[in-house]
């Protein structure tokens, strides 16, 4: 497509100002013009009249796992051979893009090269999918989240198990050699691991420091699963860039997170907790079961912490660990409603988190995440006004057009023009 003109719709540009009516003209992979309606006539290869619709920047999932296979048990994901696993990940990339997510910041790849090769194929134009910051598997310790082995049996999972600084530096370097953009550490335990609990710090300070120094020496990002207060403090001390979960942050953590707010991004992954409580019964997880394993308490803690981080101006990303059976790929936009209902965001603020803030986390600040001249043409045309009601983004039929890098990947408009 050489040029596209979107006429007569509203623009919600991501800058924080109210939506306004304008025409948007795209050439190549850039937004070339945002002009008053009717300025250009129909001088474009494709011209669409879109009154009643709103153009928003492409959505960004800040905690994506495109290789997650909708399996309740992560060891079952580990069992899938790399070839099938890669093909399924390609399908998920398309589903998520068509849901309006033009970028995904990976929170873990499940196998060392899946994110990397899918990212490369998308960037080469061979596959439809979002822009990706590719991760390796989560780096964990023996007995922590992602170690599915037993004394008598070896099982893979979604992680690589590293103990000690030598293994950590070797594994980080290996993943960087293979092409990851970001490393992911499991610093805290998890509610699913009896002897490495969510509120316990498991990874040693030396291991965390080694991983962070190695990532940054190569100009890579580093993210971490941090639930416990002690883990949040260590992550901040050693320069972790993206902190996931953070629900057991104490007052000192909140002050430290605020002090680091121009450097870090934080993501609650609230979609996973929400759906474990309310939508996982088909997989044997009831609300009472979720309460017994601490998920309900975690959710309540997350509400307190993320309402506070919002007030303190910390940059928070949407992205709710989609890819479990109870959080299927393509439903990622549900996170925005959670931000409104549970953290006190306005609809427009939730949309900023999912667009401009997400683009900054993708290292595309000033290049994507806004509808403005010169920006990358990552945009979504939505029926209605999602800046006033983010729930509109949850319905596939409302996502009328998805453009990434100037290329249309979904178009429900009649295109006989
Ligand atoms: Zn995750």
């Amino acid at each position: 497509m050489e040029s596209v003109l979107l006429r007569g719709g509203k623009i919600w540009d991501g800058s924080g100002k109210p939506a306004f009516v304008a025409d948007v003209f795209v050439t190549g992979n850039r937004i070339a013009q945002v002009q008053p309606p009717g300025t250009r006539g129909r001088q474009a290869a494709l011209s669409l009249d879109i009154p009643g619709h709103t153009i928003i920047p492409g959505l960004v999932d800040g905690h994506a796992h495109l290789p997650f296979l909708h399996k309740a048990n992560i060891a079952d994901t580990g069992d899938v051979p790399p070839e099938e696993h890669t093909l399924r990940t390609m399908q998920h990339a398309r589903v998520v893009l068509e849901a309006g997510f033009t970028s995904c910041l990976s929170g873990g790849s499940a196998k060392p090269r899946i994110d990397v090769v899918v990212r490369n194929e998308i960037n080469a134009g061979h596959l439809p999918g979002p822009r990706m910051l590719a991760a390796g598997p989560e780096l964990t310790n023996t007995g922590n989240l992602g170690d599915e082995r037993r004394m008598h049996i070896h099982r893979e999972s979604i992680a690589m198990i590293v103990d000690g600084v030598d293994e950590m530096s070797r594994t980080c370097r290996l993943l960087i050699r293979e092409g990851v953009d970001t490393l992911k550490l499991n610093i805290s335990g998890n509610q699913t691991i009896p002897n490495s609990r969510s509120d316990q710090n498991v990874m040693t300070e030396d291991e965390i420091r080694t991983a962070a120094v190695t990532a940054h020496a190569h100009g890579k990002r580093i993210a971490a699963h941090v639930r416990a207060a002690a883990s949040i403090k260590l992550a901040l001390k050693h320069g972790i860039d993206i902190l996931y979960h953070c629900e057991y942050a104490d007052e000192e953590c909140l002050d430290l997170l605020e002090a680091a707010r121009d450097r870090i991004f934080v993501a609650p992954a609230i979609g996973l907790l929400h759906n474990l409580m309310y939508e996982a019964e088909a997989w044997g997880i009831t609300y009472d079961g979720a309460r017994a394993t601490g998920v309900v308490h975690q959710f309540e803690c997350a509400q307190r912490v993320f309402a506070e981080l919002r007030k303190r101006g910390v940059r928070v990303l949407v992205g709710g660990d989609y890819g479990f059976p109870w959080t299927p790929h393509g439903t990622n936009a549900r996170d925005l409603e959670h931000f409104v209902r549970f953290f006190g965001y306005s609809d427009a603020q939730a949309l900023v988190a999912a667009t401009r803030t997400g683009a900054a986390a993708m290292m595309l600040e000033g290049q994507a995440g806004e509808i403005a001249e010169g920006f990358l043409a990552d945009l979504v045309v939505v029926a209605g006004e999602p800046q006033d009601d983010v729930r509109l983004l949850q319905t596939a039929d409302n996502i009328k057009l998805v453009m990434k890098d100037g290329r249309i990947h979904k178009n429900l408009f009649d295109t006989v023009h």
Side-chain angles (χ1 to χ4, degrees):
M1 192 63 62
E2 287 171 359
S3 58
V4 179
L5 180 61
L6 301 170
R7 304 193 317 171
K10 275 195 171 179
I11 315 298
W12 183 86
D13 67 4
S15 70
K17 70 180 178 193
F20 56 95
V21 177
D23 293 350
V24 171
F25 181 64
V26 172
T27 53
N29 70 339
R30 299 276 168 181
I31 297 168
Q33 292 174 333
V34 180
Q35 294 191 328
T39 307
R40 268 198 86 85
R42 284 177 179 270
Q43 302 159 16
L46 175 65
S47 180
L48 295 174
D49 292 317
I50 60 164
H53 296 78
T54 305
I55 304 175
I56 64 170
L59 301 169
V60 182
D61 189 308
H63 184 157
H65 295 286
L66 294 178
F68 277 14
L69 297 172
H70 301 131
K71 293 184 185 295
N73 183 336
I74 54 178
D76 292 337
T77 299
D79 286 347
V80 177
E83 295 83 357
E84 285 89 335
H85 205 156
T86 306
L87 291 168
R88 292 282 304 283
T89 304
M90 289 159 48
Q91 293 173 347
H92 300 156
R94 173 183 214 135
V95 165
V96 168
L97 178 63
E98 290 181 354
F101 285 79
T102 55
S103 290
C104 283
L105 199 169
S106 179
S109 167
K111 285 184 173 65
R113 298 190 68 249
I114 296 183
D115 265 7
V116 167
V117 298
V118 170
R119 176 204 63 195
N120 291 349
E121 290 297 296
I122 291 169
N123 288 350
H126 300 154
L127 297 174
R131 299 178 194 276
M132 286 175 66
L133 286 189
E138 299 169 25
L139 301 179
T140 194
N141 299 121
T142 294
N144 191 11
L145 173 62
D147 180 5
E148 293 291 318
R149 302 167 304 173
R150 297 294 177 266
M151 290 300 288
H152 64 295
I153 188 165
H154 181 88
R155 285 197 86 179
E156 293 294 334
S157 73
I158 56 168
M160 293 171 84
I161 298 152
V162 292
D163 293 302
V165 296
D166 290 347
E167 286 185 15
M168 182 62 87
S169 65
R170 189 162 46 242
T171 308
C172 291
R173 286 172 175 147
L174 181 146
L175 293 172
I176 292 166
R177 181 192 75 193
E178 293 300 317
V180 301
D181 301 303
T182 175
L183 297 168
K184 162 80 178 287
L185 305 181
N186 288 347
I187 295 180
S188 297
N190 206 51
Q191 70 273 6
T192 50
I193 315 290
N195 297 307
S196 297
R197 296 197 322 261
S198 304
D199 58 352
Q200 292 175 327
N201 185 73
V202 178
M203 194 164 276
T204 67
E205 182 165 2
D206 284 344
E207 291 166 336
I208 298 163
R209 181 193 302 113
T210 298
V213 166
T214 306
H216 291 152
H218 293 270
K220 305 300 180 186
R221 281 282 171 89
I222 184 161
H225 166 100
V226 285
R227 295 195 190 275
S231 300
I232 296 166
K233 290 169 195 170
L234 285 172
L236 290 169
K237 179 177 175 187
H238 294 290
I240 301 295
D241 303 299
I242 299 151
L243 290 86
Y244 291 134
H245 308 300
C246 294
E247 50 279 270
Y248 297 131
D250 58 18
E251 277 305 311
E252 186 186 350
C253 287
L254 293 172
D255 290 342
L256 291 168
L257 289 162
E258 182 179 355
R261 70 182 186 183
D262 294 333
R263 181 182 70 74
I264 59 164
F265 297 90
V266 181
I270 198 68
L272 175 61
L273 297 180
H274 179 273
N275 286 12
L276 280 170
M277 287 160 52
Y278 298 114
E279 299 181 21
E281 247 187 274
W283 298 273
I285 302 167
T286 61
Y287 183 85
D288 287 343
R291 181 185 290 285
T293 54
V295 170
V296 175
H297 180 244
Q298 245 169 25
F299 186 88
E300 290 164 357
C301 291
Q303 274 189 273
R304 180 185 63 81
V305 165
F306 284 91
E308 189 61 33
L309 293 180
R310 174 182 58 76
K311 289 182 205 153
R312 294 177 184 227
V314 176
R315 297 180 295 184
V316 180
L317 305 173
V318 306
D321 258 324
Y322 292 89
F324 288 99
W326 43 81
T327 51
H329 290 295
T331 62
N332 313 49
R334 291 193 62 192
D335 253 50
L336 283 84
E337 183 185 358
H338 297 324
F339 274 44
V340 173
R341 280 183 67 194
F342 302 115
F343 303 152
Y345 283 64
S346 68
D347 290 81
Q349 286 171 335
L351 206 48
V352 168
T355 54
R356 197 176 65 199
T357 309
M362 289 291 295
M363 303 199 264
L364 291 171
E365 192 160 22
Q367 297 182 67
E370 294 184 45
I371 304 294
E373 293 180 0
F375 274 62
L376 290 167
D378 290 6
L379 57 85
V380 184
V381 180
V382 186
E385 305 209 21
Q387 69 277 13
D388 294 332
D389 184 356
V390 292
R391 291 173 301 179
L392 293 174
L393 299 167
Q394 298 173 18
T395 303
D397 287 348
N398 289 336
I399 307 297
K400 298 291 283 283
L401 183 142
V402 179
M403 177 185 285
K404 191 202 84 182
D405 213 32
R407 191 166 157 191
I408 293 174
H409 287 277
K410 176 180 178 182
N411 181 5
L412 301 184
F413 290 103
D414 180 10
T415 53
V416 290
H417 300 276

